[in-house]
Amino acid sequence: VRHQRRNAVDPLTDLLSSPSVRIQNPSAVADKVKALVSGGIDRLQVISDFDYTISKFYDGNGNRCLTTHMVFIEGTKEIDEALAGKLKALNDAYLPIEFDAQMTIEEKVPHMELWWRSSHRLITEAKFSRTTLRSFVKVSNILLRDGCDGLLVLLEKHKVPLILFSAGIGDIIEIFLEQRLGFVPANLHIISNMILFDQNDCAVNFSDPLIHTFNKNSSVVGQERAFFHDIRNRPNVLLLGDSLGDLHMDVGVENEGAVFKIGFLNFNVDALLPKYLDGYDIVLIQDQSMNVPLKLLRAIL
Ligand code: TMP
């Protein structure tokens, strides 16, 4: 039955039928889809970025959604206007650099380090409690991509490891999933900036190494060797990202097989598309849904 169902709709044709899909190398895509489908669900792991990949970029009313760091801008607006202003000023200054189409990654890195360190210093100086963080997340405009809850449920059901490799804030991701899904998936493994709390449950520091958009590479996955060893019998990878910095999030994978990379290109499409097409197998243009990854997953099941 399983075999017949696979033949009924060719997974590749099905994937490419989505209007948001752009690809540069159809034959490489066809080979990888074939390898993932024949490997099956038990050979798969999923490595995904969080901000603007698991979460939406636009909320459907023309508003930009928030990143996990931006939760602090929104949350402190009423209670600490000065802090909100400083965090927003950092965002306004550095976000255009993060997505600048002309600058090289090497040129961007020092700016990103400065952005993250300044932002983390401001956040920890305020010594928020975990309860306060929960209240910030509750009112914040972070939304799951359409169909993302279905994807997360399916991955958990089939015990597919889901690695969220995020330069955002891991604790905010956990709180968000708990609030929006009603549970933190059992198959979830977060590699991110984690908040360190003191004995009074106040946020006083961030974990090392600092993860920013452009160091999602071997320099930050050293501590994850045991985790990737445990799942070494899953060589095939579905990688989801929204930035060129997400392209090598599979760096820690042991025994790597087929790696299928799907990139969400959320804005500045004309300038960025050629670079995204060079790196990602499939680029999704201004697509606020998880429909394409879901189609692929269903073909693998
Ligand atoms: P991610 O896509 O790997 O989760 O990256 C985190 C995003 O967070 C990145 O796009 C930049 C953003 N960010 C903020 O919005 N505010 C901040 O203060 C910092 C440090 C990052």
Side-chain angles (χ1 to χ4, degrees), residues 71-72 75-76 79 126-139 172 175 179 197 201-203:
V71 161
F72 287 92
T76 55
I79 56 169
K127 296 202 164 126
F128 295 115
S129 71
R130 219 185 288 260
T131 312
T132 306
L133 298 192
R134 287 201 189 94
S135 68
F136 286 172
V137 177
K138 202 157 227 162
V139 296
I172 301 293
I175 295 171
Q179 289 182 0
F197 293 88
D201 210 28
C202 293

PDB file of all heavy atoms in Angstrom, residues 71-72 75-76 79 126-139 172 175 179 197 201-203:
ATOM      1  N   VAL A  71      10.940  40.228  21.434  1.00  0.00           N
ATOM      2  CA  VAL A  71       9.969  40.073  22.517  1.00  0.00           C
ATOM      3  C   VAL A  71      10.293  41.043  23.656  1.00  0.00           C
ATOM      4  O   VAL A  71       9.413  41.568  24.325  1.00  0.00           O
ATOM      5  CB  VAL A  71      10.015  38.599  23.008  1.00  0.00           C
ATOM      6  CG1 VAL A  71       9.405  38.438  24.379  1.00  0.00           C
ATOM      7  CG2 VAL A  71       9.332  37.693  22.000  1.00  0.00           C
ATOM      8  N   PHE A  72      11.580  41.304  23.833  1.00  0.00           N
ATOM      9  CA  PHE A  72      11.989  42.212  24.906  1.00  0.00           C
ATOM     10  C   PHE A  72      11.681  43.676  24.566  1.00  0.00           C
ATOM     11  O   PHE A  72      11.473  44.478  25.461  1.00  0.00           O
ATOM     12  CB  PHE A  72      13.487  42.033  25.224  1.00  0.00           C
ATOM     13  CG  PHE A  72      13.747  40.744  25.947  1.00  0.00           C
ATOM     14  CD1 PHE A  72      14.071  39.593  25.245  1.00  0.00           C
ATOM     15  CD2 PHE A  72      13.629  40.674  27.321  1.00  0.00           C
ATOM     16  CE1 PHE A  72      14.285  38.396  25.908  1.00  0.00           C
ATOM     17  CE2 PHE A  72      13.828  39.482  27.995  1.00  0.00           C
ATOM     18  CZ  PHE A  72      14.158  38.339  27.280  1.00  0.00           C
ATOM     19  N   GLY A  75       7.820  43.719  25.057  1.00  0.00           N
ATOM     20  CA  GLY A  75       7.450  43.483  26.456  1.00  0.00           C
ATOM     21  C   GLY A  75       7.774  44.648  27.368  1.00  0.00           C
ATOM     22  O   GLY A  75       7.076  44.890  28.360  1.00  0.00           O
ATOM     23  N   THR A  76       8.880  45.380  27.057  1.00  0.00           N
ATOM     24  CA  THR A  76       9.313  46.437  27.985  1.00  0.00           C
ATOM     25  C   THR A  76       8.775  47.822  27.608  1.00  0.00           C
ATOM     26  O   THR A  76       9.045  48.787  28.311  1.00  0.00           O
ATOM     27  CB  THR A  76      10.859  46.503  28.049  1.00  0.00           C
ATOM     28  OG1 THR A  76      11.365  46.670  26.723  1.00  0.00           O
ATOM     29  CG2 THR A  76      11.446  45.243  28.648  1.00  0.00           C
ATOM     30  N   ILE A  79       6.783  49.158  30.506  1.00  0.00           N
ATOM     31  CA  ILE A  79       7.387  49.165  31.855  1.00  0.00           C
ATOM     32  C   ILE A  79       8.783  49.787  31.896  1.00  0.00           C
ATOM     33  O   ILE A  79       9.247  50.195  32.941  1.00  0.00           O
ATOM     34  CB  ILE A  79       7.441  47.736  32.455  1.00  0.00           C
ATOM     35  CG1 ILE A  79       8.205  46.778  31.512  1.00  0.00           C
ATOM     36  CG2 ILE A  79       6.047  47.191  32.723  1.00  0.00           C
ATOM     37  CD1 ILE A  79       8.518  45.439  32.153  1.00  0.00           C
ATOM     38  N   ALA A 126      18.644  44.046  33.144  1.00  0.00           N
ATOM     39  CA  ALA A 126      17.291  44.270  33.670  1.00  0.00           C
ATOM     40  C   ALA A 126      16.841  43.161  34.621  1.00  0.00           C
ATOM     41  O   ALA A 126      15.849  43.314  35.340  1.00  0.00           O
ATOM     42  CB  ALA A 126      16.307  44.390  32.515  1.00  0.00           C
ATOM     43  N   LYS A 127      17.565  42.029  34.623  1.00  0.00           N
ATOM     44  CA  LYS A 127      17.301  40.918  35.565  1.00  0.00           C
ATOM     45  C   LYS A 127      15.837  40.466  35.612  1.00  0.00           C
ATOM     46  O   LYS A 127      15.231  40.390  36.693  1.00  0.00           O
ATOM     47  CB  LYS A 127      17.768  41.310  36.968  1.00  0.00           C
ATOM     48  CG  LYS A 127      19.266  41.533  37.073  1.00  0.00           C
ATOM     49  CD  LYS A 127      19.721  41.380  38.499  1.00  0.00           C
ATOM     50  CE  LYS A 127      21.221  41.202  38.535  1.00  0.00           C
ATOM     51  NZ  LYS A 127      21.962  42.062  39.326  1.00  0.00           N
ATOM     52  N   PHE A 128      15.294  40.172  34.451  1.00  0.00           N
ATOM     53  CA  PHE A 128      13.896  39.723  34.409  1.00  0.00           C
ATOM     54  C   PHE A 128      13.755  38.328  35.023  1.00  0.00           C
ATOM     55  O   PHE A 128      14.661  37.511  34.916  1.00  0.00           O
ATOM     56  CB  PHE A 128      13.411  39.653  32.957  1.00  0.00           C
ATOM     57  CG  PHE A 128      13.362  40.994  32.288  1.00  0.00           C
ATOM     58  CD1 PHE A 128      14.191  41.272  31.214  1.00  0.00           C
ATOM     59  CD2 PHE A 128      12.490  41.979  32.733  1.00  0.00           C
ATOM     60  CE1 PHE A 128      14.158  42.514  30.595  1.00  0.00           C
ATOM     61  CE2 PHE A 128      12.456  43.221  32.124  1.00  0.00           C
ATOM     62  CZ  PHE A 128      13.286  43.486  31.052  1.00  0.00           C
ATOM     63  N   SER A 129      12.592  38.063  35.608  1.00  0.00           N
ATOM     64  CA  SER A 129      12.314  36.715  36.118  1.00  0.00           C
ATOM     65  C   SER A 129      11.705  35.882  34.994  1.00  0.00           C
ATOM     66  O   SER A 129      11.240  36.425  33.993  1.00  0.00           O
ATOM     67  CB  SER A 129      11.335  36.777  37.287  1.00  0.00           C
ATOM     68  OG  SER A 129      10.056  37.129  36.788  1.00  0.00           O
ATOM     69  N   ARG A 130      11.692  34.567  35.211  1.00  0.00           N
ATOM     70  CA  ARG A 130      11.101  33.680  34.206  1.00  0.00           C
ATOM     71  C   ARG A 130       9.605  33.986  34.026  1.00  0.00           C
ATOM     72  O   ARG A 130       9.076  33.914  32.918  1.00  0.00           O
ATOM     73  CB  ARG A 130      11.288  32.229  34.657  1.00  0.00           C
ATOM     74  CG  ARG A 130      11.618  31.279  33.529  1.00  0.00           C
ATOM     75  CD  ARG A 130      11.671  29.866  34.058  1.00  0.00           C
ATOM     76  NE  ARG A 130      12.849  29.632  34.873  1.00  0.00           N
ATOM     77  CZ  ARG A 130      13.943  29.018  34.432  1.00  0.00           C
ATOM     78  NH1 ARG A 130      13.980  28.581  33.198  1.00  0.00           N
ATOM     79  NH2 ARG A 130      14.980  28.814  35.215  1.00  0.00           N
ATOM     80  N   THR A 131       8.966  34.351  35.122  1.00  0.00           N
ATOM     81  CA  THR A 131       7.541  34.692  35.058  1.00  0.00           C
ATOM     82  C   THR A 131       7.333  35.906  34.146  1.00  0.00           C
ATOM     83  O   THR A 131       6.387  35.949  33.354  1.00  0.00           O
ATOM     84  CB  THR A 131       7.007  35.014  36.477  1.00  0.00           C
ATOM     85  OG1 THR A 131       7.435  33.978  37.338  1.00  0.00           O
ATOM     86  CG2 THR A 131       5.514  35.147  36.505  1.00  0.00           C
ATOM     87  N   THR A 132       8.226  36.893  34.288  1.00  0.00           N
ATOM     88  CA  THR A 132       8.121  38.084  33.427  1.00  0.00           C
ATOM     89  C   THR A 132       8.322  37.679  31.961  1.00  0.00           C
ATOM     90  O   THR A 132       7.600  38.154  31.078  1.00  0.00           O
ATOM     91  CB  THR A 132       9.162  39.146  33.843  1.00  0.00           C
ATOM     92  OG1 THR A 132       8.993  39.394  35.231  1.00  0.00           O
ATOM     93  CG2 THR A 132       8.995  40.421  33.066  1.00  0.00           C
ATOM     94  N   LEU A 133       9.285  36.790  31.707  1.00  0.00           N
ATOM     95  CA  LEU A 133       9.513  36.351  30.315  1.00  0.00           C
ATOM     96  C   LEU A 133       8.247  35.721  29.738  1.00  0.00           C
ATOM     97  O   LEU A 133       7.872  35.976  28.597  1.00  0.00           O
ATOM     98  CB  LEU A 133      10.656  35.333  30.225  1.00  0.00           C
ATOM     99  CG  LEU A 133      12.049  35.784  30.663  1.00  0.00           C
ATOM    100  CD1 LEU A 133      13.099  34.772  30.238  1.00  0.00           C
ATOM    101  CD2 LEU A 133      12.402  37.140  30.095  1.00  0.00           C
ATOM    102  N   ARG A 134       7.587  34.897  30.572  1.00  0.00           N
ATOM    103  CA  ARG A 134       6.348  34.252  30.099  1.00  0.00           C
ATOM    104  C   ARG A 134       5.304  35.302  29.737  1.00  0.00           C
ATOM    105  O   ARG A 134       4.604  35.182  28.732  1.00  0.00           O
ATOM    106  CB  ARG A 134       5.791  33.310  31.168  1.00  0.00           C
ATOM    107  CG  ARG A 134       6.603  32.057  31.315  1.00  0.00           C
ATOM    108  CD  ARG A 134       5.806  30.921  31.964  1.00  0.00           C
ATOM    109  NE  ARG A 134       6.710  29.824  32.257  1.00  0.00           N
ATOM    110  CZ  ARG A 134       7.312  29.647  33.439  1.00  0.00           C
ATOM    111  NH1 ARG A 134       7.021  30.433  34.448  1.00  0.00           N
ATOM    112  NH2 ARG A 134       8.168  28.664  33.608  1.00  0.00           N
ATOM    113  N   SER A 135       5.225  36.348  30.554  1.00  0.00           N
ATOM    114  CA  SER A 135       4.217  37.383  30.268  1.00  0.00           C
ATOM    115  C   SER A 135       4.591  38.165  29.001  1.00  0.00           C
ATOM    116  O   SER A 135       3.724  38.544  28.224  1.00  0.00           O
ATOM    117  CB  SER A 135       4.037  38.309  31.473  1.00  0.00           C
ATOM    118  OG  SER A 135       5.200  39.074  31.661  1.00  0.00           O
ATOM    119  N   PHE A 136       5.893  38.362  28.756  1.00  0.00           N
ATOM    120  CA  PHE A 136       6.323  39.041  27.521  1.00  0.00           C
ATOM    121  C   PHE A 136       5.916  38.211  26.298  1.00  0.00           C
ATOM    122  O   PHE A 136       5.403  38.730  25.311  1.00  0.00           O
ATOM    123  CB  PHE A 136       7.854  39.205  27.480  1.00  0.00           C
ATOM    124  CG  PHE A 136       8.408  40.261  28.398  1.00  0.00           C
ATOM    125  CD1 PHE A 136       9.788  40.391  28.575  1.00  0.00           C
ATOM    126  CD2 PHE A 136       7.583  41.138  29.092  1.00  0.00           C
ATOM    127  CE1 PHE A 136      10.317  41.368  29.407  1.00  0.00           C
ATOM    128  CE2 PHE A 136       8.104  42.118  29.932  1.00  0.00           C
ATOM    129  CZ  PHE A 136       9.476  42.218  30.087  1.00  0.00           C
ATOM    130  N   VAL A 137       6.164  36.903  26.377  1.00  0.00           N
ATOM    131  CA  VAL A 137       5.894  36.038  25.215  1.00  0.00           C
ATOM    132  C   VAL A 137       4.389  35.981  24.933  1.00  0.00           C
ATOM    133  O   VAL A 137       3.960  35.977  23.783  1.00  0.00           O
ATOM    134  CB  VAL A 137       6.467  34.610  25.428  1.00  0.00           C
ATOM    135  CG1 VAL A 137       6.120  33.698  24.254  1.00  0.00           C
ATOM    136  CG2 VAL A 137       7.987  34.672  25.614  1.00  0.00           C
ATOM    137  N   LYS A 138       3.626  35.977  26.012  1.00  0.00           N
ATOM    138  CA  LYS A 138       2.169  35.850  25.878  1.00  0.00           C
ATOM    139  C   LYS A 138       1.580  36.947  24.989  1.00  0.00           C
ATOM    140  O   LYS A 138       0.687  36.697  24.181  1.00  0.00           O
ATOM    141  CB  LYS A 138       1.524  35.885  27.264  1.00  0.00           C
ATOM    142  CG  LYS A 138       0.162  35.240  27.287  1.00  0.00           C
ATOM    143  CD  LYS A 138      -0.202  34.789  28.684  1.00  0.00           C
ATOM    144  CE  LYS A 138      -0.741  33.372  28.667  1.00  0.00           C
ATOM    145  NZ  LYS A 138      -0.720  32.719  29.948  1.00  0.00           N
ATOM    146  N   VAL A 139       2.091  38.168  25.130  1.00  0.00           N
ATOM    147  CA  VAL A 139       1.508  39.279  24.376  1.00  0.00           C
ATOM    148  C   VAL A 139       2.266  39.582  23.076  1.00  0.00           C
ATOM    149  O   VAL A 139       1.919  40.494  22.339  1.00  0.00           O
ATOM    150  CB  VAL A 139       1.468  40.581  25.224  1.00  0.00           C
ATOM    151  CG1 VAL A 139       0.561  40.391  26.424  1.00  0.00           C
ATOM    152  CG2 VAL A 139       2.864  41.005  25.667  1.00  0.00           C
ATOM    153  N   ILE A 172      13.043  31.599  25.126  1.00  0.00           N
ATOM    154  CA  ILE A 172      11.839  32.222  24.553  1.00  0.00           C
ATOM    155  C   ILE A 172      11.181  31.229  23.586  1.00  0.00           C
ATOM    156  O   ILE A 172       9.948  31.118  23.525  1.00  0.00           O
ATOM    157  CB  ILE A 172      12.200  33.544  23.828  1.00  0.00           C
ATOM    158  CG1 ILE A 172      12.859  34.535  24.803  1.00  0.00           C
ATOM    159  CG2 ILE A 172      10.971  34.171  23.158  1.00  0.00           C
ATOM    160  CD1 ILE A 172      11.964  35.066  25.891  1.00  0.00           C
ATOM    161  N   ILE A 175       9.282  28.692  25.771  1.00  0.00           N
ATOM    162  CA  ILE A 175       8.066  29.289  26.357  1.00  0.00           C
ATOM    163  C   ILE A 175       7.013  29.478  25.267  1.00  0.00           C
ATOM    164  O   ILE A 175       5.834  29.161  25.445  1.00  0.00           O
ATOM    165  CB  ILE A 175       8.387  30.649  27.033  1.00  0.00           C
ATOM    166  CG1 ILE A 175       9.308  30.438  28.227  1.00  0.00           C
ATOM    167  CG2 ILE A 175       7.108  31.361  27.465  1.00  0.00           C
ATOM    168  CD1 ILE A 175       9.858  31.729  28.834  1.00  0.00           C
ATOM    169  N   GLN A 179       3.345  27.741  25.126  1.00  0.00           N
ATOM    170  CA  GLN A 179       2.116  28.552  25.132  1.00  0.00           C
ATOM    171  C   GLN A 179       1.272  28.304  23.885  1.00  0.00           C
ATOM    172  O   GLN A 179       0.057  28.196  23.964  1.00  0.00           O
ATOM    173  CB  GLN A 179       2.465  30.040  25.229  1.00  0.00           C
ATOM    174  CG  GLN A 179       2.993  30.426  26.601  1.00  0.00           C
ATOM    175  CD  GLN A 179       3.303  31.917  26.711  1.00  0.00           C
ATOM    176  OE1 GLN A 179       3.126  32.678  25.762  1.00  0.00           O
ATOM    177  NE2 GLN A 179       3.776  32.331  27.867  1.00  0.00           N
ATOM    178  N   PHE A 197      19.907  31.779  34.760  1.00  0.00           N
ATOM    179  CA  PHE A 197      19.168  32.421  35.858  1.00  0.00           C
ATOM    180  C   PHE A 197      19.940  32.261  37.170  1.00  0.00           C
ATOM    181  O   PHE A 197      20.598  31.240  37.375  1.00  0.00           O
ATOM    182  CB  PHE A 197      17.781  31.775  36.001  1.00  0.00           C
ATOM    183  CG  PHE A 197      16.874  32.044  34.820  1.00  0.00           C
ATOM    184  CD1 PHE A 197      16.889  31.203  33.715  1.00  0.00           C
ATOM    185  CD2 PHE A 197      16.018  33.134  34.820  1.00  0.00           C
ATOM    186  CE1 PHE A 197      16.060  31.449  32.622  1.00  0.00           C
ATOM    187  CE2 PHE A 197      15.181  33.378  33.735  1.00  0.00           C
ATOM    188  CZ  PHE A 197      15.199  32.537  32.630  1.00  0.00           C
ATOM    189  N   ASP A 201      15.958  33.252  40.434  1.00  0.00           N
ATOM    190  CA  ASP A 201      15.242  33.091  39.172  1.00  0.00           C
ATOM    191  C   ASP A 201      15.269  34.363  38.309  1.00  0.00           C
ATOM    192  O   ASP A 201      14.334  34.656  37.578  1.00  0.00           O
ATOM    193  CB  ASP A 201      13.787  32.640  39.436  1.00  0.00           C
ATOM    194  CG  ASP A 201      13.266  31.783  38.287  1.00  0.00           C
ATOM    195  OD1 ASP A 201      14.087  31.120  37.625  1.00  0.00           O
ATOM    196  OD2 ASP A 201      12.042  31.803  38.032  1.00  0.00           O
ATOM    197  N   CYS A 202      16.368  35.127  38.456  1.00  0.00           N
ATOM    198  CA  CYS A 202      16.526  36.322  37.627  1.00  0.00           C
ATOM    199  C   CYS A 202      17.512  36.020  36.496  1.00  0.00           C
ATOM    200  O   CYS A 202      18.549  35.385  36.720  1.00  0.00           O
ATOM    201  CB  CYS A 202      17.084  37.474  38.461  1.00  0.00           C
ATOM    202  SG  CYS A 202      15.930  38.038  39.702  1.00  0.00           S
ATOM    203  N   ALA A 203      17.175  36.518  35.293  1.00  0.00           N
ATOM    204  CA  ALA A 203      18.036  36.320  34.122  1.00  0.00           C
ATOM    205  C   ALA A 203      19.276  37.185  34.266  1.00  0.00           C
ATOM    206  O   ALA A 203      19.183  38.409  34.284  1.00  0.00           O
ATOM    207  CB  ALA A 203      17.274  36.694  32.862  1.00  0.00           C
TER     208      ALA A 203
END
